[in-house]
């Protein structure tokens, strides 16, 4: 029996499985044609998961919503590099991770991830933490969409202020963390317009930390689905599609070079197909390409790929 405020891995797993189900159902309904197919898998070193992939839908060209619960005798290097005291502990890692790549360039790509780690050693208290967040990657931006996305992020933080840090300050800190994390250093540019990012969350205790993870996860659909509904019917042509594929290259670069989840999955012996489901189906690179001055493409760089307080911007 779990002691009060002690980690409850069964409760976390139950929530994550239900979360995956509900998001799949909602995005299938928004697409109207595409259906997620499930691919259950096991990890030779322990654990497994279920990958759900939607391809060639009416709205989503490709989308993946993965659940994984893996365990092993020792944490991989990515998880213990900054905390060497965890080296050699057994571990469990579970989470839901999703990336949705729309067909229409006016619909932004979205990403959400929530996860739980616990590292254990006989005779010692378990060491655990939650992490996650969500971020938005538009190709052609709309202020209304970006503000609504950040409002959802603020709602996720609304009930989690403390005497040391109120909810507004918490939101500002996690927004800044997101801007800092989803940044391509070799390009000196953000991946998108941000959202929320948190990691190593345990100082609130298990129940409150778990509640915050749930609050973040539950704001993904209210933040993203209305944007998809507004933009999915907009007409577009070859120019917009080519720019979308070019900008998707930045997404690939980030995920393969910097993303901690990708590195953890590969180093821990995870299933490669599931780990790399985040990559878009069509992508391109151009040598030293620059947008035409004054164009909609240039506006993405000048107005949207610039960290700012979107909720302070006038409507």
């Amino acid at each position: 029996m779990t002691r009060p405020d002690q980690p409850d891995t069964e409760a976390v797993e139950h929530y994550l499985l239900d979360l995956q189900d509900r998001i799949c159902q909602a995005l299938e309904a928004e697409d109207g044609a595409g259906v997620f197919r499930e691919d259950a898998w096991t990890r030779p070193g322990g654990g497994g998961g279920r990958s759900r992939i939607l391809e060639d839908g009416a709205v989503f060209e490709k989308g993946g919503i993965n659940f994984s619960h893996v365990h092993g005798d020792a944490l991989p290097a990515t998880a213990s590099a900054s905390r060497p005291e965890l080296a050699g502990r057994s571990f469990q890692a579970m989470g839901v991770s999703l990336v949705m790549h729309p067909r229409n360039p006016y619909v932004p790509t979205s990403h959400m991830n929530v996860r739980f780690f616990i590292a254990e050693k006989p005779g010692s208290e378990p060491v655990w933490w939650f992490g996650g967040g969500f971020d938005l990657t538009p190709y052609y931006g709309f202020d209304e969409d970006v503000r609504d996305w950040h409002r959802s992020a603020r709602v996720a933080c609304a009930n989690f202020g403390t005497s040391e840090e109120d909810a507004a300050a918490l939101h500002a800190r996690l927004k800044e963390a997101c801007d800092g994390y989803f940044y391509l250093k070799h390009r000196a540019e953000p991946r998108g317009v941000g959202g929320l990012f948190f990691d190593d969350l345990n100082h609130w205790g298990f129940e409150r930390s778990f509640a915050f993870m749930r609050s973040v996860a539950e704001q993904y659909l209210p933040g993203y689905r209305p944007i998809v509904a507004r933009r999915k019917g907009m007409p577009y042509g070859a120019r917009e599609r080519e720019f979308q594929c070019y900008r998707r290259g930045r997404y690939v670069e980030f995920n393969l070079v910097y993303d901690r989840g990708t590195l953890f999955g590969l180093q821990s012996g995870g299933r490669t197909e599931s780990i790399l489901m985040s990559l878009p189906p069509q992508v391109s690179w151009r040598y030293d390409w620059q947008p035409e001055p004054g164009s909609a493409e240039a506006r993405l760089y000048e107005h949207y790929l610039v960290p700012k307080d979107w909720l302070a911007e006038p409507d």
Side-chain angles (χ1 to χ4, degrees), residues 5 65 77 87 117 136 235 253 262 266:
D5 210 39
I65 304 177
F117 288 83
L136 194 70
E253 290 176 22
T262 301
L266 295 174

Side-chain angles (χ1 to χ4, degrees), residues 133-145:
F134 49 65
D135 67 290
L136 194 70
T137 306
Y139 307 99
Y140 293 90
F142 297 88
D143 287 13
E144 175 188 11
D145 296 351

Side-chain angles (χ1 to χ4, degrees), residues 142-148 151 299 303-304 308-315:
F142 297 88
D143 287 13
E144 175 188 11
D145 296 351
V146 181
R147 282 195 295 268
D148 285 354
R151 287 191 185 106
R299 183 167 169 77
H303 183 65
Y304 293 100
K308 63 178 72 176
D309 183 356
W310 283 97
L311 298 183
E313 294 283 309
D315 288 341

Side-chain angles (χ1 to χ4, degrees), residues 7 10 21 30 33-35 65 68 80 101 126 134 142 157 168 194 204 234 274-275 282 297 306:
E10 290 186 6
D21 287 341
E30 193 61 49
V35 176
I65 304 177
S68 64
S80 60
H101 290 291
F134 49 65
F142 297 88
C157 299
W204 288 339
M234 292 182 66
S274 298
I275 296 165
Q282 301 290 331
E297 293 79 14
V306 180

Side-chain angles (χ1 to χ4, degrees), residues 1-240:
M1 183 175 181
T2 304
R3 289 178 291 165
D5 210 39
Q6 289 296 302
D8 186 346
T9 56
E10 290 186 6
V12 177
E13 181 177 42
H14 177 79
Y15 172 76
L16 293 173
L17 288 167
D18 178 67
L19 177 69
Q20 184 192 34
D21 287 341
R22 290 186 286 113
I23 295 178
C24 285
Q25 291 165 6
L27 294 181
E28 282 181 349
E30 193 61 49
D31 187 277
V35 176
F36 286 94
R37 63 181 176 90
E38 181 172 300
D39 188 8
W41 54 275
T42 57
R43 174 177 171 270
R50 57 187 199 188
S51 298
R52 292 183 178 171
I53 306 298
L54 185 155
E55 294 179 297
D56 295 323
V59 174
F60 299 109
E61 189 174 10
K62 181 185 177 186
I65 304 177
N66 288 349
F67 165 81
S68 64
H69 182 183
V70 301
H71 52 84
D73 295 332
L75 282 163
T78 51
S80 60
S82 62
R83 302 174 73 163
E85 73 276 12
L86 300 182
R89 284 181 175 241
S90 64
F91 76 94
Q92 294 185 65
M94 65 182 80
V96 166
S97 180
L98 71 86
V99 176
M100 301 302 298
H101 290 291
R103 187 179 301 278
N104 190 320
Y106 290 107
V107 182
T109 286
S110 68
H111 161 258
M112 190 274 287
N113 170 271
V114 285
R115 56 193 180 273
F116 175 67
F117 288 83
I118 183 167
E120 298 177 281
K121 182 179 180 180
S124 301
E125 285 291 310
V127 179
W128 56 267
W129 60 87
F130 289 95
F134 49 65
D135 67 290
L136 194 70
T137 306
Y139 307 99
Y140 293 90
F142 297 88
D143 287 13
E144 175 188 11
D145 296 351
V146 181
R147 282 195 295 268
D148 285 354
W149 180 254
H150 284 287
R151 287 191 185 106
S152 291
R154 184 171 62 185
V155 169
C157 299
N159 296 317
F160 291 90
T162 66
S163 57
E164 294 82 14
E165 178 181 52
D166 64 21
L170 173 65
H171 170 246
R173 178 167 61 84
L174 300 188
K175 177 190 179 298
E176 183 179 4
C178 187
D179 290 340
Y181 179 71
F182 292 104
Y183 186 80
L184 289 86
K185 300 179 183 68
H186 62 285
R187 298 284 190 181
E189 68 183 43
R191 186 171 83 172
V193 295
L196 291 175
F197 179 82
F198 68 101
D199 207 359
D200 298 322
L201 177 63
N202 58 19
H203 64 276
W204 288 339
F206 177 79
E207 291 297 337
R208 189 167 176 80
S209 299
F210 184 22
F212 182 70
M213 186 203 79
R214 297 196 304 269
S215 183
V216 171
E218 295 300 329
Q219 284 303 311
Y220 167 73
L221 283 173
Y224 188 52
R225 193 171 176 182
I227 297 172
V228 177
R230 280 198 293 266
R231 308 301 170 196
K232 65 184 181 181
M234 292 182 66
Y236 64 91
R239 173 174 176 156
E240 292 89 346

